[in-house]
PDB file of all heavy atoms in Angstrom:
ATOM      1  N   ILE A 378       9.708  30.211 172.338  1.00 98.00           N
ATOM      2  CA  ILE A 378       8.638  31.161 172.647  1.00 98.00           C
ATOM      3  C   ILE A 378       8.649  31.441 174.209  1.00 98.00           C
ATOM      4  O   ILE A 378       8.579  32.649 174.661  1.00 98.00           O
ATOM      5  CB  ILE A 378       7.257  30.564 172.312  1.00 98.00           C
ATOM      6  CG1 ILE A 378       7.174  30.365 170.744  1.00 98.00           C
ATOM      7  CG2 ILE A 378       6.117  31.486 172.767  1.00 98.00           C
ATOM      8  CD1 ILE A 378       5.971  29.565 170.375  1.00 98.00           C
ATOM      9  N   GLY A 434     -13.142  45.457 174.214  1.00 98.00           N
ATOM     10  CA  GLY A 434     -12.567  46.363 173.261  1.00 98.00           C
ATOM     11  C   GLY A 434     -11.501  45.889 172.330  1.00 98.00           C
ATOM     12  O   GLY A 434     -11.219  46.437 171.272  1.00 98.00           O
ATOM     13  N   ILE A 474     -14.378  34.785 168.848  1.00 98.00           N
ATOM     14  CA  ILE A 474     -13.934  33.297 168.725  1.00 98.00           C
ATOM     15  C   ILE A 474     -14.495  32.672 167.593  1.00 98.00           C
ATOM     16  O   ILE A 474     -13.833  31.919 166.855  1.00 98.00           O
ATOM     17  CB  ILE A 474     -14.291  32.571 170.081  1.00 98.00           C
ATOM     18  CG1 ILE A 474     -13.325  33.041 171.250  1.00 98.00           C
ATOM     19  CG2 ILE A 474     -14.158  31.083 169.842  1.00 98.00           C
ATOM     20  CD1 ILE A 474     -13.734  32.532 172.616  1.00 98.00           C
ATOM     21  N   PHE A 526      -5.525  22.561 198.199  1.00 88.00           N
ATOM     22  CA  PHE A 526      -4.259  22.586 198.847  1.00 88.00           C
ATOM     23  C   PHE A 526      -3.127  22.461 197.847  1.00 88.00           C
ATOM     24  O   PHE A 526      -3.284  21.827 196.794  1.00 88.00           O
ATOM     25  CB  PHE A 526      -4.080  21.332 199.774  1.00 88.00           C
ATOM     26  CG  PHE A 526      -4.977  21.441 201.027  1.00 88.00           C
ATOM     27  CD1 PHE A 526      -6.160  20.709 201.050  1.00 88.00           C
ATOM     28  CD2 PHE A 526      -4.657  22.231 202.099  1.00 88.00           C
ATOM     29  CE1 PHE A 526      -6.989  20.735 202.197  1.00 88.00           C
ATOM     30  CE2 PHE A 526      -5.480  22.238 203.222  1.00 88.00           C
ATOM     31  CZ  PHE A 526      -6.645  21.556 203.234  1.00 88.00           C
ATOM     32  N   PRO A 553       1.082  38.942 172.783  1.00 98.00           N
ATOM     33  CA  PRO A 553       1.236  39.291 171.329  1.00 98.00           C
ATOM     34  C   PRO A 553       2.191  40.399 171.043  1.00 98.00           C
ATOM     35  O   PRO A 553       2.982  40.219 170.052  1.00 98.00           O
ATOM     36  CB  PRO A 553      -0.198  39.562 170.873  1.00 98.00           C
ATOM     37  CG  PRO A 553      -1.092  38.821 171.822  1.00 98.00           C
ATOM     38  CD  PRO A 553      -0.412  38.761 173.109  1.00 98.00           C
ATOM     39  N   HIS A 664     -14.316  52.192 209.723  1.00 96.00           N
ATOM     40  CA  HIS A 664     -15.433  51.626 209.050  1.00 96.00           C
ATOM     41  C   HIS A 664     -14.946  50.856 207.800  1.00 96.00           C
ATOM     42  O   HIS A 664     -15.393  49.766 207.416  1.00 96.00           O
ATOM     43  CB  HIS A 664     -16.486  52.596 208.637  1.00 96.00           C
ATOM     44  CG  HIS A 664     -17.364  53.094 209.747  1.00 96.00           C
ATOM     45  ND1 HIS A 664     -17.062  54.105 210.569  1.00 96.00           N
ATOM     46  CD2 HIS A 664     -18.604  52.625 210.164  1.00 96.00           C
ATOM     47  CE1 HIS A 664     -18.023  54.263 211.464  1.00 96.00           C
ATOM     48  NE2 HIS A 664     -18.939  53.291 211.216  1.00 96.00           N
TER      49      HIS A 664
END
Side-chain angles (χ1 to χ4, degrees):
I378 297 172
I474 288 171
F526 291 101
H664 283 88

